[in-house]
Amino acid sequence: MRRGLLVLACCFSIPAWAADSLTTAIAADWLKRVADAPRRLSYEGVFVFQQGDAMQTVRIANRPDGSGKDSRLTTIDGVPREVRCTGSESVSISGQGGQAKFERRLNSRHFPDLLPTNAERLLAWYNLKVGATARVAGLECRQLELIPKDHFRWGYVLCADKDTNLPLKAVMVNEHGQPLMQYAFTEVRFGDSGTLPSAKPSTGAAEVPFLAAGDALNIKQLPPGFAREVAIRRKLPQHGEIEHWVFSDGLTHISLFIEPMAKPFMPVKGESKQGMVNMLVRQVGDYQVTVLGEAPWSAVEAIAMGLEPKPR
Amino acid sequence: MQKPALASDNENMDWLSALLDGEADDDLEGIGRLARDEALKARWSEYCLIGDALRGLSQPSGRVPERVRVALSDEPTILAPVVKPRHRPALWLAAAATVAAVTWMTMHAEPTAAPPVRMAMQSGPAEVAALDVVPYLAAHQDYAQALTSSPEMHFSQVALALPEAAR
């Protein structure tokens, strides 16, 4: 009888181990396909972006460009705004009251291109759950849940087009599965329909940051999976030139701003209404540090508390 | 204090008290009436005795009823009025509100694609008034998603358990 139980246990354990391994491979494959689709596909469409009470409708057109992409996003309600994203940067042109404002952005992340390259590395910090099919913008899509393994990041629920794997919907969710921010196509069509018109010329007003040594403070510890991606010096309105570091796990981005401390102060916590954006301002040595990101408070706090002054 | 010609008993007693306190010295008509009114004279004498006894200036005479004498001798000398402590809920509320104002400083920012507008602070000390989240949010969005709107923010002071080395 005992031997029978052992055999039975082995029978169950082997398929379980195999299934787990298979799931990881499938999950990595899913993530890769969904991450690559927005960059390799030609598509045009309209999506709705919703965050709290705010809602915006955006027209998007994308063309693959070598290993990167060339995409244009135009708001079709509210303040007129156009964002042109290429390889690693974006240009935002907004106009209100007849005045155009030109901003150079330092990345090109936007819906539906939200997942990083090498997206399979996310599986170290998120579990992937492939769910049921749904219908978005008249197309069948497969639900994919990126469930954080800890409390240092928000989760995502994507719905990827069954034919092309393009995310038709993306929802950032909190630890209770409640939506914090979401994007969803209302219409989308695939295929090349000509090149995109070039972006409006720069007014030359855009500030160009430069790389910083990134050694103003010591990073004692970071939340699991987070690494520093950027350390630059830049001018911030009303703050002068300050240091800006960005930490990321590939999906969650948290900024750290380091500036000389004007006067001693109590630490201040900031949070957005739905708790999506968290912020902590504190003193580290002679510096005022501001940590900010679309991440749970525990991640923002962990980064802020993981800093220490450089030994003199 | 003028004593009316036809006064009630209470008014008579009030007038006698005033006279005793030197506040009705000029009421000659009243004083003349006191001299003629035996009941009023008796009351005046009692008032004087009571006053003297309270001040310890004289031994009560035999004309004072014994129970009054005993009661007077037992009565402690009151040197200063004792004010019963009163709860001051309004002050506590005010103090709590001050603490709350220090602890919870609420500000709102509604940054948009428009030029950064300095955040309005609803309440709180000056060091938090200097905190302006808009430039940070705008700079952060260089690395966040290209279209994220900047949400309304709420701020509060926090106590952090800082390791000594990190201060």
Side-chain angles (χ1 to χ4, degrees):
Chain A
M1 181 65 192
R2 187 172 292 170
R3 185 180 295 171
L5 278 175
L6 192 65
V7 169
L8 201 61
C10 289
C11 288
F12 279 109
S13 66
I14 291 167
W17 168 81
D20 192 37
S21 172
L22 196 65
T23 302
T24 306
I26 289 175
D29 187 51
W30 263 111
L31 280 179
K32 187 170 164 40
R33 280 185 283 153
V34 172
D36 289 348
R39 293 186 278 268
R40 64 172 176 77
L41 291 170
S42 254
Y43 59 89
E44 286 177 22
V46 173
F47 68 80
V48 174
F49 161 63
Q50 188 242 325
Q51 183 186 66
D53 301 334
M55 188 183 260
Q56 193 148 45
T57 316
V58 180
R59 186 182 304 284
I60 184 168
N62 183 74
R63 303 284 177 269
D65 183 16
S67 59
K69 64 174 182 187
D70 182 10
S71 58
R72 195 171 77 177
L73 294 86
T74 314
T75 60
I76 56 177
D77 54 15
V79 177
R81 187 174 168 206
E82 188 179 307
V83 180
R84 183 73 182 254
C85 297
T86 53
S88 61
E89 68 166 25
S90 59
V91 172
S92 163
I93 303 151
S94 56
Q96 199 168 25
Q99 288 207 327
K101 187 172 175 253
F102 178 86
E103 293 173 295
R104 189 179 297 279
R105 289 280 176 85
L106 301 169
N107 82 330
S108 61
R109 294 181 76 223
H110 64 78
F111 176 79
D113 183 15
L114 295 173
L115 299 181
T117 49
N118 305 323
E120 60 275 14
R121 68 189 159 114
L122 294 176
L123 291 171
W125 315 108
Y126 300 83
N127 285 316
L128 183 77
K129 189 174 153 193
V130 179
T133 54
R135 192 161 171 264
V136 175
L139 298 172
E140 290 277 307
C141 57
R142 173 75 64 186
Q143 287 210 343
L144 302 170
E145 279 183 66
L146 276 162
I147 304 160
K149 292 181 178 177
D150 55 29
H151 56 284
F152 293 112
R153 51 214 108 220
W154 297 133
Y156 273 88
V157 181
L158 306 171
C159 203
D161 179 37
K162 278 181 91 172
D163 293 333
T164 64
N165 292 311
L166 183 79
L168 301 178
K169 185 174 180 178
V171 187
M172 185 193 269
V173 294
N174 67 11
E175 65 273 29
H176 306 298
Q178 294 160 333
L180 297 168
M181 176 169 76
Q182 55 187 323
Y183 305 87
F185 273 107
T186 57
E187 58 177 75
V188 63
R189 62 181 181 279
F190 298 96
D192 194 349
S193 56
T195 54
L196 300 176
S198 60
K200 291 176 188 171
S202 161
T203 59
E207 169 233 347
V208 181
F210 55 93
L211 292 179
D215 57 357
L217 296 171
N218 276 350
I219 304 167
K220 208 170 38 176
Q221 203 176 352
L222 287 174
F226 281 83
R228 188 171 68 184
E229 288 197 339
V230 177
I232 54 167
R233 287 197 69 80
R234 63 188 304 175
K235 281 186 182 144
L236 224 59
Q238 295 133 34
H239 292 263
E241 193 173 285
I242 70 171
E243 208 153 304
H244 181 186
W245 299 356
V246 180
F247 302 94
S248 179
D249 67 350
L251 198 54
T252 304
H253 290 76
I254 298 176
S255 282
L256 162 68
F257 301 94
I258 306 166
E259 56 198 300
M261 191 182 57
K263 57 182 176 181
F265 61 94
M266 288 286 292
V268 174
K269 172 187 179 176
E271 65 178 325
S272 64
K273 226 181 207 173
Q274 283 80 26
M276 180 185 78
V277 177
N278 281 287
M279 177 179 179
L280 175 57
V281 189
R282 65 166 288 223
Q283 177 186 342
V284 181
D286 297 332
Y287 293 104
Q288 172 185 317
V289 299
T290 303
V291 183
L292 166 77
E294 289 93 359
W297 166 250
S298 49
V300 167
E301 186 187 32
I303 287 177
M305 302 305 282
L307 300 166
E308 61 182 12
K310 280 192 82 70
R312 290 171 193 273
Chain B
M1 180 172 176
Q2 297 290 314
K3 179 186 167 296
L6 295 170
S8 70
D9 203 35
N10 277 346
E11 283 169 335
N12 279 335
M13 286 191 284
D14 286 346
W15 180 79
L16 278 177
S17 285
L19 186 66
L20 208 60
D21 293 334
E23 293 171 2
D25 288 344
D26 55 350
D27 185 9
L28 297 175
E29 188 189 330
I31 292 168
R33 189 166 163 254
L34 170 63
R36 294 189 299 273
D37 189 331
E38 286 304 316
L40 217 52
K41 265 203 296 194
R43 182 66 57 85
W44 168 258
S45 296
E46 284 173 9
Y47 277 17
C48 288
L49 277 170
I50 291 166
D52 287 349
L54 283 173
R55 288 187 289 271
L57 296 176
S58 66
Q59 289 298 318
S61 73
R63 288 193 295 160
V64 179
E66 181 61 17
R67 60 187 176 83
V68 175
R69 194 188 62 76
V70 170
L72 283 171
S73 64
D74 285 343
E75 191 72 22
T77 304
I78 298 167
L79 299 174
V82 177
V83 179
K84 190 179 175 184
R86 287 190 298 142
H87 292 292
R88 306 290 295 276
L91 286 183
W92 282 110
L93 277 175
T98 308
V99 171
V102 170
T103 311
W104 291 91
M105 284 151 301
T106 307
M107 296 181 290
H108 292 282
E110 191 66 57
T112 62
V117 178
R118 195 153 181 93
M119 185 163 52
M121 204 178 91
Q122 292 183 337
S123 65
E127 70 266 21
V128 176
L131 181 68
D132 181 359
V133 73
V134 177
Y136 297 120
L137 274 169
H140 168 70
Q141 285 184 3
D142 280 347
Y143 293 92
Q145 298 160 28
L147 272 175
T148 48
S149 69
S150 299
E152 193 176 290
M153 297 287 286
H154 168 91
F155 289 85
S156 59
Q157 279 192 348
V158 282
L160 301 172
L162 300 182
E164 203 54 42
R167 284 175 196 273

